[in-house]
Amino acid sequence: VSANPPTSDVVVVGGGIIGLASAWRARLRGLSVTVLERRAIGEECASAVAAGMLAPVAEAEFGDAGRRLLELGLRSARLWPDFAAELEQATGAEVGLRRNGTLLVARDADEARELERQLRFRQSLGLQVRRLAPSAARELEPALAPTVRLGLEAPEDHSVDPRRVLAALRHACELSGVRLRERAPVARVEVGAGPRVTGVVLADGSRVPAAHVVLAAGAWTAEIDGVPAHARVPVRPVKGQILRLRDPDGPGLLRRVLRFEGGYLVPRGDGRYVLGATVEERGFEPHATAGGVYELLRDARELIPGILELQLEELSVGFRPSTPDNLPAIGRGTPSGLLWAAGHHRNGILLAPLTAQLIAHALTAPDRIEDRRASLPAELEGACDPLRFATAGGLPTADPPGPPVGVHS
Ligand code: GLY
């Protein structure tokens, strides 16, 4: 360990897709960037487990938080084609962006009624969706069971292969001069006079000095010490079990992403499929269960009977990083120099290009409010504000310390 390790402009804590994309974008703006990953890149992160749906329309939810997430998702979905192209151009690697759309399907009368409601909701928001009678749905996807009751097509909801994206981002980071350090778990953020961050301290006690620290450690973000309690973003793990399947006869069973109550099936286009996912509030409980696998296969089989012919390649467990309102924390926090790119819940792959853009922007134009707002309207910026969870006691205010001030939305 050097006595005087070099100071980076930016240390990014976390080498998942959010961390690497943010690091790459910051580097392209001329900053010196170090990424610290607690394991190896892709070894233990939600990015390596995720199915890779880019599906803001299919995921649209009722309510204020749902509307804001939809807005964020639509913006990031629009960035994806250029982001993927740039990544492919920089690295020569293909990231598996497939633009075949998504099909939501109902299995029975109850689900069909709910899908009709979901259709009206999306139409009321002006989203691109198309109602499909069972015969029309089966014309699009002949592998669907004859019992399917209703379909809804979201033609602009696509998918990408997150493992390919992760590998390409790693390569792009290396090519652009980002310093990647693996097996470098961060114990705490270091805060000096100001207060302002001065870097991080690793689990082995060594320091990595930096002018800015970006916390992008996924579900593990909350384990990093040193951030004052009142200014922390509460990130919790939400467990998901997910299966990877392969058709020995090659591609063709399914072209579009299929979504149904309780799961989704994402074709990779080469005969491989990802079937996900359970949503479990069990902390970091790491085990896959027979019950989880049973539920996924049972539901998917009702819609695509042919799925039982596929070979089982992999069963994995991932941990979504989720905040109390399930919206991400993106941008500047406190103390000065600390930024968050965390809490993306079910939407980390979708929101990666937008997050990276916002982080790079906040790092290079942190004091120009009009610049920061150029990329996100104030309402959305507020919805992602890392300080929305801050307690009154930690805010620069004359009010006495009190209970959480709640969500700025
Ligand atoms: N975005 C899908 C999931 O979290 O399972």
Side-chain angles (χ1 to χ4, degrees):
V1 179
S2 150
N4 288 307
T7 298
S8 297
D9 293 325
V10 188
V11 154
V12 176
V13 183
I17 283 180
I18 296 286
L20 291 179
S22 300
W24 184 44
R25 285 310 199 206
R27 180 69 198 127
L28 293 183
R29 288 188 180 217
L31 301 175
S32 61
V33 184
T34 301
V35 173
L36 301 172
E37 163 57 39
R38 56 196 276 278
R39 299 283 174 96
I41 303 281
E43 186 183 311
E44 186 181 50
C45 63
S47 304
V49 177
M53 287 175 293
L54 309 176
V57 174
E59 295 255 1
E61 285 181 11
F62 294 99
D64 269 0
R67 191 173 52 75
R68 291 186 173 116
L69 188 58
L70 171 67
E71 284 282 326
L72 292 168
L74 289 171
R75 279 166 190 269
S76 203
R78 284 196 289 272
L79 296 176
W80 254 105
D82 282 352
F83 183 76
E86 226 181 300
L87 204 44
E88 293 184 344
Q89 206 172 12
T91 62
E94 218 261 313
V95 299
L97 179 66
R98 300 188 77 240
R99 305 171 81 162
N100 292 341
T102 292
L103 209 56
L104 293 87
V105 284
R107 274 170 297 204
D108 55 31
D110 270 358
E111 287 185 11
R113 263 192 301 276
E114 174 56 21
L115 205 51
E116 295 277 17
R117 194 170 81 100
Q118 295 288 345
L119 172 71
R120 287 193 296 276
F121 170 57
R122 284 161 178 74
Q123 285 171 332
S124 76
L125 295 171
L127 299 173
Q128 222 186 325
V129 279
R130 185 159 73 103
R131 186 184 187 282
L132 297 172
S135 56
R138 294 191 68 221
E139 235 165 77
L140 289 186
E141 293 294 352
L144 279 170
T147 49
V148 67
R149 290 295 284 260
L150 186 65
L152 194 162
E153 189 188 18
E156 294 302 322
D157 276 9
H158 303 310
S159 67
V160 73
D161 184 338
R163 290 182 179 177
R164 286 175 178 264
V165 175
L166 203 51
L169 274 172
R170 179 200 185 116
H171 195 194
C173 279
E174 285 168 343
L175 289 173
S176 67
V178 171
R179 186 153 185 255
L180 291 183
R181 288 184 60 186
E182 297 174 279
R183 310 219 174 271
V186 171
R188 64 183 170 88
V189 174
E190 191 184 57
V191 181
R196 114 152 255 131
V197 302
T198 51
V200 297
V201 177
L202 303 185
D204 66 7
S206 61
R207 289 185 63 231
V208 182
H212 298 90
V213 172
V214 179
L215 295 181
W220 293 269
T221 301
E223 295 185 351
I224 295 161
D225 280 340
V227 182
H230 63 260
R232 299 191 70 89
V233 175
V235 180
R236 71 182 194 286
V238 176
K239 177 181 172 182
Q241 301 185 48
I242 195 161
L243 286 167
R244 283 175 158 77
L245 308 164
R246 197 176 78 85
D247 191 335
D249 296 328
L253 183 69
L254 190 70
R255 279 190 73 238
R256 291 162 187 76
V257 172
L258 192 73
R259 297 187 65 114
F260 45 93
E261 214 169 284
Y264 46 81
L265 188 60
V266 181
R268 287 279 180 254
D270 60 357
R272 289 177 305 131
Y273 297 85
V274 182
L275 172 60
T278 64
V279 181
E280 305 169 58
E281 296 281 359
R282 288 173 198 267
F284 282 112
E285 202 289 311
H287 299 107
T289 62
V293 173
Y294 168 71
E295 275 173 34
L296 292 175
L297 286 171
R298 178 198 62 199
D299 293 349
R301 194 212 88 177
E302 272 186 52
L303 286 160
I304 305 279
I307 201 170
L308 294 186
E309 306 299 323
L310 305 187
Q311 294 171 354
L312 194 52
E313 281 205 319
E314 188 183 322
L315 164 59
S316 34
V317 171
F319 298 103
R320 305 172 182 89
S322 305
T323 65
D325 59 10
N326 289 334
L327 287 166
I330 308 170
R332 291 195 292 165
T334 187
S336 191
L338 182 69
L339 291 91
W340 297 79
H344 289 69
H345 188 48
R346 295 175 64 102
N347 299 287
I349 310 303
L350 170 63
L351 295 179
L354 180 66
T355 302
Q357 186 183 60
L358 293 172
I359 292 296
H361 214 85
L363 284 166
T364 47
D367 298 318
R368 295 180 50 187
I369 296 297
E370 67 280 13
D371 247 16
R372 296 174 69 210
R373 295 221 168 126
S375 47
L376 217 54
E379 187 202 15
L380 288 186
E381 195 173 339
C384 302
D385 186 351
L387 293 175
R388 69 190 186 276
F389 304 108
T391 52
L395 293 174
T397 163
D399 294 341
V405 292
V407 177
H408 290 197
S409 59

